[in-house]
Structures are given as structure tokens and as C-alpha cells.
Amino acid sequence: MNVDMDQFLSAFLVEAQEHIEVFESTLLAVEDDPSNREQLNTIFRCAHSIKGGAATFGLPGVAGFTHHVETLLDDIRAGKIQLTTTISRLLFQCLDEIRLLLASPNGAVPELSDSAKNLVSQLQIASNYSSDEASSVQLEAASGLLEYEFLFQPKADILARGCDPFLPLLELEEVCTNYSVKADTSRVPSLEDFDPEQCYLSWKGQIATEHSANEIREIFDFVADTEDIDLFPIQQNVHTAQKEVTGNSGGSTNPSFRPDAGIIRVSSDKMDRLVNLIGELVINQSILDAVVADFTPNQMGNLIDAVASMARACRELQERVMSIRLVPLRQAFGRFPRVVHDLSNSLGKQVELTMSGEDTELDKALVEAICDPLTHLIRNSVDHGLESESERVATGKSPVGHLHVNASHEGGSVMLEVTDDGKGLDKDKILAKAIDRGLVQAGTAMTDEAIHALIFAPGFSTADAITDVSGRGVGMDIVRSTIDNLNGNVSVYSNPGQGTRVRIRLPLTMAILEGLSLSIGEEIYVLPLTAIVESIQPKKEDLVTITGDEEVVRVRGEVLPVVRLHQLFNSPSYISDPSKGLLVIVSDDERKVALLVDELIGQNQVVIKSMEANYRKVEGVAGATILGDGRVALILDVPELVRCADAAARAA
Amino acid sequence: MRQMVSFTLKGAGFQVIEGSNGQEALSRIDSAPNGKVDLIITDLNMPVMDGLSFIKQARTKSSCRFTPILMLTTESSDARKAEGKAAGATGWIVKPFQPDQLLKVISKVLPA
């Protein structure tokens, strides 16, 4: 029986992740209601499934460790041990360790890491197990190929229960790499005493298997009571393949061990619709074939119809395929209760976390990427934003701090908000710090938003004391840059004494862009539609040149810098006089600039191809795409164009 | 639950006879083709005649003396298993379970 387990491993990792999440959320719930047996059972089942799966899929480290967790959980479930805060904290730590083990190659190594060993000893103390028993269990669960001698001596009356003693022996043969067995017929009586309804046989044998003694015992569960089956480990024999794994573990991380390994679960509903659409496409194609086969000019109408319905099916197929990549934000949100729970405990604050919009769907890659920045924002809110209990009471607030995380759709993008009702940002302190750090010139007049935005500057922190939670000043700038990389943006709103709100705007998906194509000379460029404010044909008197050669345009009283794209990209254009061309006004949510273009062509959806992956990073260009006629068009990067305009202005 | 079990079994090629309680099941077994069945699966918690009494009754029938009997239980405690064994159950499945788990347990009690 040599099945390639790798293909199932990644599926198991996804499943294990789900079990961990259920474990975690249920454990949080049990803390409030320790008497709820059903929830304790749920937790136990999660641990059990993780252990079982890990053992099956060649992760003995995970299986061995989880076994200890399971033992403790079983005792809690049986009421032998009370689920105290200490124990639940220990369980949370174990959960983190399991996560770690699943994500690292260590999970495949039988030996436990120091941190895991430490937790195991704590678990053993908690469950009061004698160290003998615990270590023997560890041995079983943790090693590779084990050899056992077994003695199976079923009770004489098992036939009367409908049991077939051969079946477990056959099953045993299947799970063992080495298997030899001999029947002991010494107890079979002479014919006159023989009762055909009694079982007189017993079996003795030797096996070599990767399964633990407990798993072997489980095979005999139905036919034998514990005392009817004896299992002695003969010697520990680590299989050579197992050694290889151990040898590898020192090297770089094995990509296949990343939890979820790029797997997306798709509802069968979505798949069904895809299959339907493919069916439609095939029908469309045969219609087209038929029309083209004997085409006469008077069939033009038919051809147009066929092409139109083909286009409709294609468009729907595109939408459906994109929707496969969309997953609910619940995955990311799921970990926040735990974060808040741990943090508020360690800080001695009471925090109530509410969440809404968990079902908002977002590209899977984005959901994963946004998880860390959001967690960081939440930690910041709990640590810095929300005041201590006494402070809150003193300012007439409820002693329980409130934190709200919300997600919602807004146009083609998703808004994420983290709102707290804490003390808000201290503008004066931020400004003083910024001046101190040389980020801002003393005496500069700044709007509230500009001051708030300073917290995203690298190395910026107003925390007086650095805690282990936050305050090191690394973080907010990483939040900012992560979100920038995702083509999103982030802004802060704050009212002193009332709280802070951080808003993150993300595109729905990174692969397809709603764009406006425009031409400069012979070249075609695409602008992301979300960045465009308006397009104007400027009057000559509105165009002014200031400080030498910097061009600006006046739009309804607002003065905007003009960027000549043909100059920036050093390509010929038909129009060099802005008053004869078009100005497209784009915004990066803070500032606006006017881009000079020859002509607007039209709105279309484009598939983004990375420049970095195929060529190199080009300033002002976010990527490239292939147009309907096969030409390549560059997609403009608006925030960068705004920065270019800024730099040019400063240089001038 | 009964539908799920029945559906799974039919999917695996079994012919299924159903009864909504122990009493009904006993009479259905008698009216089965050849008057016997290859496998009995019973819940423990049922109206009229519960699972354990049903298993005991079934074992007194000559047609069912050696028929494998699986019981469905929500509890995996040793006490519950011992109770089932004493009544004559061949094996058990702890609820909730997946269809393929059911088939696996069946393979443990029914020769292929």
C-alpha cells in the first residue's frame, strides 16, 4: 500500500487550519460559559481531527504534540480537570504551537522543538499524568516506522455479537508495511466438546507500521476489549525516508508546508455555473462554425448575433472565474477576537470587539495580505487608542472600550474600517514628534488630515514607553506600504476624546482593472478608472506657467500641476499645446494632478500583466496589458505620477 | 440521519430496508427477501423500542444471531460501548460522521 500522500497533504493543511479556527473561537466562547459540554466536545473533536490527520499525512511532530493537547482536553471534557484561565491560556499557547508546527517543516520531524517540549511538560503537569506514561505515549506518536509484537485473543463469545475476527486482521495487514501472523489453535477442543458458536482461536504476529499503538488498537476496537489485545513495541527503527526528512529540516523552508498551499475552496454552486457556461460557449462555437461554413454576405446578421452571444458568454465566464478567487473576509476576521482577547488580558483593559461585513468577498490574495496590517491596526487601537479603565471612567465613558471592525463594498472597491472609542490621536504630540524627527519643518501650517497621516511615516511613534505590544514605530509605515502594494490606500480620522477610525480602501481584485484607455502619439495607455476625477479641455487663460517652467492649470479655483505624459515617457505626441489636447485629472486621494493626453479612446476592462515579472519596474507604470487588437498598452500608476509631479515641482 | 445512512448505503450498492423504530425494524427484517439481512444499523435513541432492546431482541431471532449490528451513538464513552457489546452489538459509529466513515466502519464488520 504505497499511496502518494502529498496530494492529500495540502488538503489536510487547509482542513487543519479550519479546525484550528473552530478550536480557537470555541475556546473563547467556553471561557464565558465553562459548563457548556457541547463546546468542550467540539474542541476535543478539533484536536482529535488534527492529530489523526497529521499522523496519516506524515506529520508525526504535529500528531505527537496534538496528542498531549487532546489528552488534557479529554480530561477537561470528562470533568476531571476544571477549565481555569491558566489552562485556557495554556491551550491558546498550544494552539499557536500547532499552527507553527503545521507551517514549518518541523511538523514532519518526530522530535519536538524546545518550545513544544516545554508546552508538553506543562500539559502533563496540568493533566497530572505520570511522566512514564506520557513519555511512552510520546515515543509511540513521535517515531517513524515502529515494530510491534501483538497478541490478539478475542473472547469466546464474540461470534454471538456478529463479529468476524478475521476482518480486523485483514485491516491490520493493510496499514502495516510488514505483517506476519500465526493462528494459535491450541484451545480448539475435541469435536464432542466443540461449540461452533464459540471462538477458540487466538492470533500472534509481528507488524511494522507507521501508526501509533493507539491507532492499531482502534482497529481491534469492535472485536476486542482492551485486555484482549496486547501490543509490545519491539524496537525503534526509524525508516530511512524519515531520516531524510530530518536532514532536510535544517535547510530553507519547504514551500509545500505553508498552510493552505495555494488552495482555494470553491462552492460546488460556483463550479456548476462555470460548467454551464462552458456548455454555452461550446454551443456558441458550433453556431459560429455553422455560420462560417457556408457564409454568404446576407448572413451577416446571423454572424453578428452569434458573435454577440459568444461575447456575452465570455464576459460572464470572466466574471464567474474572477468570483472563484473571491473569498469572504471572515477568514481574516476570524483571528481578531483572539488577538483582542489576549491583548486586553495582558494590558488589563476591558475591550468589546464587534465586527460587521465578514461576508464581504475579496480576492483571496488580498484577504491574506490584508490580515497582518489589520491585526496591527487592531493591536494599536487596543494598546494606544483605548484608555485604561480608570481613565475611561474619569472621562465619563463606559469602562469597557469598544472596537469595531467593518467591511463593506463601495463601488469597485472594498472598504475596511477599524474604529475605536478611545482617546483619539494627539495632534500636538504628533506634530511635535514629527518636527523633532525632522519630518516636518517647524511652523508649517498643516491640516488635521496631513498631521494624522504622519503616523504612517517610517520610524514614527508617539508612545512614551515601548511595550512589547506596540510603540516601536515599525508598523504603521509597514501597514501603509503593504496597502500601497495592494493598490489600496489608507486614511485616518480622529476626534480627540472620541476615538480614531482607520479606513482602508482595497480594489476587489488585483488581476483585472476597469480602465480608461487614452492615446499619446502612437502609443496607448490605460488609466485605472477609480483614479480619474474628470477630463477637461482647458482654456488658454487657465493655463499658467509659474516659477520658471512649472505648468499649472486652474480648475474651478483649484490650481493643479500639469504632467505632460509624452515628456515623462519621452515619446512623441501629436499635441504639445495643452489647450488643444485634453487634461485628465487624476487623484491619489490626497492630491490631484492633470495629465496631458492626445485623445481619450474608451473605457474597458484590462487584464494586468506584471512589468517586474517580465521586464523591470518602470517609474509611473503599474503594469501592462494586451488590447483587443493585440497591441500592448502600459497601465499608468497614478500615485507614482502624483509623486513625480511633486518631485518635479520641488526640483524646479 | 436515517435518510443520510440510507442514501449512503444505496449509493454503495446496498439494498436498504428501513424502519422508524426497533419494533418496526424487527417486523421488516422478517419480511425481507429470504427472511434475513446482511447488516443491521440502528440508532440507540428511538421511540417505541430503543436501540439496545432492539439489538437484544434481534439476537434472539435465529435469522439475526450472527448478523453484524452497528449502533449509532453520540457518545464514545467506554461505558456506552460496553453497554452495546453486552446487548450484542458488533460495532458502533460515533455521530456525527461522514458517509465515507460509515462505509469504512461497515467494512470493519462486513466481509467484502
Side-chain angles (χ1 to χ4, degrees), chain A residues 161-163 222, chain B residues 55 59 69-71 84-92:
Chain A
R161 282 202 296 114
C163 290
F222 291 168
Chain B
I55 295 174
R59 284 285 178 232
I69 303 181
L70 287 176
M71 58 180 197
K85 279 184 177 178
T90 314
W92 51 84

Side-chain angles (χ1 to χ4, degrees), chain A residues 2-75:
Chain A
N2 229 342
V3 182
D4 177 20
M5 282 295 180
D6 282 359
Q7 51 176 325
F8 301 115
L9 178 63
S10 42
F12 162 67
L13 290 172
V14 175
E15 210 178 279
Q17 211 59 38
E18 281 166 14
H19 285 307
I20 289 176
E21 274 158 29
V22 174
F23 190 133
E24 188 162 62
S25 58
T26 317
L27 189 55
L28 281 168
V30 166
E31 278 202 323
D32 299 331
D33 179 14
S35 59
N36 193 328
R37 267 190 62 88
E38 194 35 54
Q39 293 191 327
L40 290 174
N41 282 334
T42 306
I43 296 179
F44 180 81
R45 274 198 298 273
C46 291
H48 186 79
S49 309
I50 295 171
K51 182 186 91 167
T56 317
F57 298 113
L59 301 172
V62 179
F65 180 73
T66 314
H67 174 82
H68 296 289
V69 180
E70 191 191 340
T71 311
L72 177 63
L73 286 170
D74 202 21
D75 288 348

Side-chain angles (χ1 to χ4, degrees), chain A residues 411-461:
Chain A
S413 47
V414 167
M415 296 295 294
L416 295 165
E417 288 179 327
V418 178
T419 314
D420 67 57
D421 65 347
K423 55 179 177 272
L425 294 174
D426 187 338
K427 267 191 304 183
D428 299 334
K429 207 165 164 183
I430 293 173
L431 199 52
K433 194 87 171 187
I435 292 167
D436 186 45
R437 289 276 159 96
L439 296 168
V440 177
Q441 296 277 305
T444 325
M446 290 182 82
T447 60
D448 284 3
E449 286 90 79
I451 296 174
H452 291 155
L454 284 172
I455 62 167
F456 293 111
F460 191 90
S461 172

